[in-house]
Amino acid sequence: MPVKTYWLEHAWLGTHVEPGVALTVSISGSAAGGGDGRIATLRTGVETPPPGAEVLRGLTLPGLANAHSHAFHRALRSLVQVGSGTFWTWREFMYQVAQNLTPDTYFALARAVYAEMALAGITNVGEFHYVHHAPGGAPYSDPNAMGEALIEAAAAAGIRITLLDTAYLSSGFGGAPDHHQLRFSDGTAEAWAERVSALKPRGHALIGAAIHSVRAVPADQLGTVARWAQERRAPLHVHLSEQTAENEACQAAHGRTPTQLLADHGVLGPRTTGVHNTHLTDGDIALLGGTTTGTCMCPTTERDLADGIGPAPRLQHAGSPLSLGSDSHAVIDLLEEARAMELNERLRSRTRGHWTANALLTAATEDGHAALGLPDAGRLEAGALADFTTIALDSVRTAGPPARLGAETAAFAATASDVRHTVVGGRHVVRDGAHTLVPDVPSALSESIAAVRG
């Protein structure tokens, strides 16, 4: 098994920044899509690079985890910023793009989007995938052709993926899918489970499950999705209380909040993550924290769609681990998502310092990977997956502070533009700011977005 040595000028080790760190990496698996390369040894106090070592100048962090993505939403960037509107008018634009996706066009778009993620230091994406069938709802000859396209796109872009195959069966609390939603629906949760069971994990890809929302999966079928995930010990994600309208409709239909409805049907638990968790009651927070159900905050999307600011500090204090996602990809920048969580809470509470820089980076790394079923990622330590990213400490945004404040610099000043290197499974995916597998990411984005905008 090949062994490679990296010398990190500065490394964030979870609690502090350490200068002069040498890693040896045992590399296995295929060159595309990560593989299982792991950190074999980690030594601190190494003042100069060992002979033959790859030198990473700047601050090296564990690879960032994008715990919530809808890859095709990247085609909506700027298009949905014309004029005003609501979440529900934004959704009409989203449906138009979804109708133009095919397995081939989705592969091309997702490959470009995942390459953009790699350039932003992201090594693992949780793809909340619900565009399953052809327009009109007819299955493809391979019923999982769209999911397979996403898995292959991640490999082609050099990152890991947890495909969160999504049950989306209803237009709202039992209503039949509308014409846009027909390609999302398998008809029943049992049919969804039969289809998704044919998907197989591979070196760079895990298979998880998702419930689109309580409005999109009838209450009597929630348990089927939850059991599928429990039997496989797979991650289970769900959009939860993103909009007050959903809460009101759930109360009208079931006499309880969406969180209470999920609890009643066995959905909550330590492998489950609620996405957004924005409009919650005190009882909801207690249920989520008491079951150690995770919370994925997507601050850029939540403010872009005017959703509101979720009670992240209270959720974490109650026992809900926090992760982060770029969701609709208004921007793809996990460092921005991390600081936005803190800064949004400062605006809401008019107090500062709800999370330390270390805590924000933990949400963007270790806890995000755990939410995607990879508890052995997100740390720079022996035995962990050799996934890491390096940000410059000498850019116009990051120059000036001492290196010992690298965590604060990363969390509160750096952006995706400061990423210099991304390593997945011990292999360079981004080197000196250039993607090694997708030579021209901007052109790949432009061409693939044009193909699906119609």
Side-chain angles (χ1 to χ4, degrees), residues 147-386:
E148 292 288 351
L150 291 165
I151 291 170
E152 293 307 313
I159 70 171
R160 302 184 193 277
I161 185 171
T162 297
L163 187 74
L164 298 161
D165 195 288
T166 305
Y168 192 137
L169 309 173
S170 170
S171 62
F173 298 99
D178 68 23
H179 67 286
H180 293 301
Q181 298 163 342
L182 288 172
R183 68 182 311 191
F184 307 163
S185 177
D186 291 292
T188 66
E190 290 77 10
W192 167 85
E194 181 178 358
R195 177 183 57 75
V196 74
S197 293
L199 285 164
K200 302 303 178 187
R202 54 214 76 172
H204 75 293
L206 298 179
I207 309 301
I211 293 164
H212 180 273
S213 56
V214 294
R215 70 178 185 271
V217 176
D220 61 359
Q221 299 186 58
L222 292 169
T224 299
V225 183
R227 284 190 296 276
W228 186 95
Q230 289 162 2
E231 288 167 359
R232 291 159 179 79
R233 302 183 66 81
L236 173 62
H237 288 215
V238 55
H239 290 131
L240 181 57
S241 289
E242 181 179 4
Q243 294 288 324
T244 54
E246 178 178 274
N247 287 0
E248 293 161 1
C250 188
Q251 285 282 2
H254 299 291
R256 65 204 72 188
T257 68
T259 301
Q260 290 168 330
L261 187 67
L262 294 175
D264 290 346
H265 291 274
V267 175
L268 304 184
R271 285 190 297 278
T272 299
T273 297
V275 181
H276 305 302
N277 293 0
T278 307
H279 302 285
L280 303 176
T281 67
D282 291 346
D284 293 339
I285 293 170
L287 273 173
L288 293 167
T291 56
T292 62
T293 299
T295 294
C296 180
M297 302 298 292
C298 305
T300 296
T301 292
E302 289 151 8
R303 63 192 181 193
D304 182 49
L305 297 180
D307 288 343
I309 300 171
R314 293 180 61 201
L315 282 159
Q316 188 172 49
H317 181 74
S320 178
L322 299 179
S323 56
L324 297 163
S326 63
D327 192 0
S328 67
H329 312 314
V331 298
I332 294 177
D333 189 338
L334 261 287
L335 300 174
E336 170 63 23
E337 303 296 344
R339 73 172 146 267
M341 187 166 68
E342 166 67 25
L343 298 181
N344 283 355
E345 189 59 26
R346 291 183 186 185
L347 285 174
R348 190 198 64 78
S349 67
R350 292 182 291 175
T351 60
R352 303 177 77 224
H354 302 277
W355 292 276
T356 65
N358 289 330
L360 293 173
L361 293 178
T362 297
T365 57
E366 181 175 2
D367 288 349
H369 291 289
L372 297 179
L374 280 178
D376 52 351
R379 297 181 302 282
L380 297 180
E381 64 179 37
L385 288 169

Side-chain angles (χ1 to χ4, degrees), residues 410-428:
F412 290 102
T415 73
S417 297
D418 297 309
V419 171
R420 294 293 175 265
H421 305 280
T422 302
V423 174
V424 182
R427 295 184 175 88
H428 256 94

